[in-house]
Amino acid sequence: MHVGFIFLAVIVGSVLFHIFTPWYWTDIASNWGSMDDTITLTFWVGGGVFVAVCLFMVYCIFKFSYKEGRKAEYKPEDKKLERILTWATTLGVAALLAPGLIVWNQYINVPKNAIDIDVMAWQWGWQYRLPGEDGKLGSTKVENINDNNPFGIILEDINGKDDVLIQSDVLHLKNNRPVKILLRSVDVLHNWYVPQFRAKMDAVPGTITYYWFEPNKVGEYEVLCAEYCGVGHYGMRGRVFVKSEQDYEKWYQEQETFSDLVAKQEEIEFSGTKLVKNNLND
Amino acid sequence: MSEDFNDNKTIQAQSSETISGEGVRGVAPDKDYVRPAEVADQDLYHGHSFITKWIFCQDAKVIGVQYFLLATFTGIIGLILSWLMRLQLGFPGAAGFMTAEHYYQFVTMHGMIMVVYFLTALFLGGFGNYLIPLMVGARDMVFPYVNMVSFWMFFVAVGVLLASFFVPGGPTGSGWTLYPPQAILEGTPGSGMGIILMCVSLILFVAGFTMGGLNYLITVLQARTRGMTLMRMPLTVWGIFTATVLAMLAFPALLVSALMMTLDKVLATSFFMPTILKAGEVLEYGGGTPILFQHLFWFFGHPEVYIVALPAFGIVSDLISVHSRKNIFGYRMMVWAIVIIGALSFFVWAHHMYVSGMHPWFGFFFATTTLIIAVPTAMKVYNWILTLWKGNIRLNTVMLWCLGFIVTFVNGGITGIFLGNVTVDVPLSDTYFVVAHFHMVMGIAPLMVIMGAVYHWFPLVAGRMLSEKLGKLHFWITFLGAYSIYFPMHYLGFIGVPRRYFEMYNSPYITSAVGVNEFISMAAFLVGAAQFILIYNIIVSLRMGKPAGKNPWQANSLEWLTPTVPPEHGNWGDKLPVIHRWPYDYSVPGAKDDFIPQTTPPSEVAGTEVEKT
Ligand code: HEM
Ligand SMILES: [Cu+2]
Ligand SMILES: [Cu+2]
C-alpha cells in the first residue's frame, strides 16, 4: 500500500508547497491586477481538477490493487458518464477562457491619455524617446541611425523635432499615468519586460509593436530582456523609475530634445571645438 | 480474388453480423467467420549476411531497435547537456569552461535533441517500427527497403547534428526555436557553420522521417490482417498512426523554414530578414519579416508536441488496460479524442506567439482554439483513471510509470491552460513557468510512458524480464526527482525569472531564488544518474533476466501472440493470424481466464458476456 501513500504525499506536498511558498509574485506595481486575478482563478479551477484527478487515482490504488482471484469490472463504455464529463469540462474551460479574453481586450486597447514611449532595442541595450510638447513622436527609419541621429528620426518629420531623447537604459515614468510602450529593434528580437508591471511584448526588427500599462507605485524597477537575443541576452537589463508627478516633471524638463542635439552638433561642427559644449548646458 | 470475396459474402456473413445472430439468406452463420484477405501475403527479403541482417536491415523490428538505440544515444547527450546547464544555473561558475556562448549552445542542442532526435525518433521510429506490424498482424512494413533507408537518413542527420559540435564557431546557440534574425547573425554563437549544419540536419531528418512515416501510414491502412478492423486496433497503433499523419503535414513547414533560413544565410536572401543595423552598419538584408518564420516554425512546432504526445497517449492507454486487467474505458471516445486532438492541433500554433508582435486580434482566436483542445484531452485523462476504477491493478513497475505519467501529465496540462489563455500568458511567457510547463507535459510525461513501455515490451524484444526491483528503484528516483525539479520551477516563473538566462546577476527578486536553483540542480543530477539504473538493468537482464516465455503479462494484443518469442523476421510463421475481437477483452464475465486474446474465435469463448466489437 505504500505506493498509494507516496502518491498521496506528492499531492498533499504540492498543495502545501503552493500555500506556503516563499516564492511567488513579485509585488505588482501596475494596473494589471486583473492578470493576477485570472491566474488566481485558473489556479483554483485547475488546481482543483489536478487534486481531484490525483486523489481519485490514489483511491483506486488503495481500493483496487491486485488480488488473486478478484475480477475487474467489464464495462466498455458509459455514454451518460462520458457526456456529463464532457459538458462539465467544457463549462469549466469556458469559465476560464471568458475572463482571459476580456482582459486581453483591455490589454490590446490603449487608453486615450497614454503617453507614447519609443523603446529602442539593440544587441545589447535600450534607449528611450518621449514625445515633446506636441505629445507626438516623430517617425523613424533604421537607415537614418547614426551618431548625430541616434534614434534614426526622419528629419522632415516636424513631430520629431521636440522629441525628448534619453540615451541611457534608465527610463522615468509618471506615477498613475498610462504609458503606451512602442517597441522597435534595429537588429534581432528583444522584449522589454518589468516583472512588477506584468506586461510584455517582443520588439521585432522591421515593425513596431506595442503594449500599455499604468504604473501605480513609486519606486525603482529592473528591466529584463525576455526574448532571447544572442549571447548578451541575460545581461540586457535596464531600469525604470516611477516618480510622482512633480519629480517627473522636474526630470523631464532637464532632458535634451532632438533639436537641442542637432543644434549642439551644428555648434560643434561650426566652431570645430568641443569647448562650446559648456555653453550649451544653461 | 475479388470474385472469391464476393461469392463468400453471399454465403457467409461477416463476424460482426454473425455475432448478432443474423445469417444472410438463411444459411447457417459461421460464428467464427472472418472475411478473407484482400491482398496476397507479403514476400519479404531475407538478409543472409551480418550486414543485411543487422545493419542495412529491412526487418521493421530491427529497424525499430536501431532507431531506439540511436535515439537513446542522442538522448543521453541531451541529458549530459542538461546537467551542464543545471550546474551553471545552480552553482554559477562551478564549471570553469562554461561561458555564455557554451550555455546557449547547450540549451539549443539540448532542446532540439530532446524534442526531435530523441522523443520523435523514439516514439515513431522506435515503437512505431517495432509495434505497428506486430499489432496489426502484418509481416513487416509495406516498404521494407524504404524503411531501412529511413533509418540511415536519420543516422546521417544525427551525424550532421553532432558534427556541428566540431566546426569552427561550434553548434548553433540560437535556442531550439532558431528564431531569425538572431540565429544567422553574429552575436549568436554558431551563427556560421553551426546554424547551417542544424538546418541541413533537420532537412535530412524530415526527408528520412517521411520515408518511415509513409510506411507506418500505409501499413496501418493496407496491411492489417484479416479481422483487424480499424476499431479493433490497439490505441498504441491509433496514437502512432495519428501522430504520423500530423508529422506528414507538419514537418514540411519545418523543412521549408529550414530551407529558407539556409538561403537567407548562404545566399543573403531576405525571407525573414528586415533592414538591420549591426555595429553601425546597415546589412544587405531588407524587406523580410521574422514573424513569418515564427508562424512556419510553430505550424510545425505545435503539432510536434502532439507528435510526441499522441503515441504516449496510445501506449499508456494500453499499458493501463493490461495491468489493470480491465478494458480501456470508452475506447471509441479515446480513438475520437486522438483524432480530434490531432486535427485541432493545426489550429493552435500561434499560442506560442501571443507576445511575438503578431496582430493582437489573433490572440482571441488562438486562445479559444487552444482551450477547446483541453476538452478532448481532459476526456482522455478521465478515461485513464476510470479504467483504474474497479480494475484489478497490478502495482508493478509498468503500472508505476503509468501512474507517474498521469500525475505529471495532468500537472503539465493544467499549466498549459494557464499559458494558452492569452492574458494569463502575458506575465508568464518566456519565464521559467514555461520551462517548467513544457518539461512536465512533453518532457517528463512522455518519458514516463517510454519507461513504462520499455519495461512492458522488453520481455517481447529480448525474451527476458527486466528486474522489478531495479525497475521500482529507477521509477521512484526518476518520478520523485523529476517532480521536485519541475514543480518548484513554476514559482521561479512567478517571481519573473526569464528563461534562457545564463546568469541571474543580483536582481533582488532573483537572488531570493538561489536556494531553489541549487535544490533543482541537485535533483537534476540525481534524476540523470538514475537513468543509468535502467541501462544496467537492461544489460544484466539481457543475459540473466528471468525468461519471459510467451505472453508474460497475459495481454490480448497481437504482438504477444507470435509463434516465437522474440518474434522472428516475418513475424507470424506460416500463417497470418486472424482477428476476432478488440484487444481489450479483460475480465470478461463468464470467461475462464481474465483475458481473451484477439485471435480467440467466439466459439471458444461461448457463453461469455463479451461485447460486440
Ligand atoms: C531531467 C531531465 C532534464 C533536465 C534537467 C532539463 C533541463 C533543462 C534546462 C536547464 C533547460 C534550459 C532552460 C533555460 O535556460 O531556459 C532546458 C531547456 C529545454 N529542454 Fe530540458 N531538461 C530535461 C529534459 C528534457 C526533455 C525530456 C525534453 C523533451 C521535450 C526537454 C526539452 C527542452 C526544451 C525544448 C528546452 C528549451 C530549449 C530552448 O530554450 O531553446 N528537456 N532543459
Ligand atoms: Cu534578449
Ligand atoms: Cu503549442
Side-chain angles (χ1 to χ4, degrees), chain A residues 164-207:
Chain A
V164 172
L165 311 184
I166 301 161
Q167 292 191 62
S168 112
D169 55 18
V170 185
L171 178 64
H172 294 244
L173 295 176
K174 202 188 311 191
N175 198 16
N176 293 322
R177 177 74 187 265
V179 285
K180 180 180 188 184
I181 302 290
L182 291 158
L183 292 146
R184 68 193 165 108
S185 163
V186 301
D187 41 40
V188 305
L189 305 172
H190 301 276
N191 189 323
W192 198 79
Y193 168 53
V194 177
Q196 289 90 338
F197 299 154
R198 300 293 186 261
K200 63 163 84 80
M201 187 62 70
D202 283 1
V204 183
T207 181

Side-chain angles (χ1 to χ4, degrees), chain B residues 142-143 146 209-220 244 248:
Chain B
V142 284
F143 309 121
V146 180
F209 190 80
T210 306
M211 300 179 193
L214 289 174
N215 250 315
Y216 315 153
L217 296 185
I218 299 177
T219 304
V220 169
T244 310
M248 292 298 108

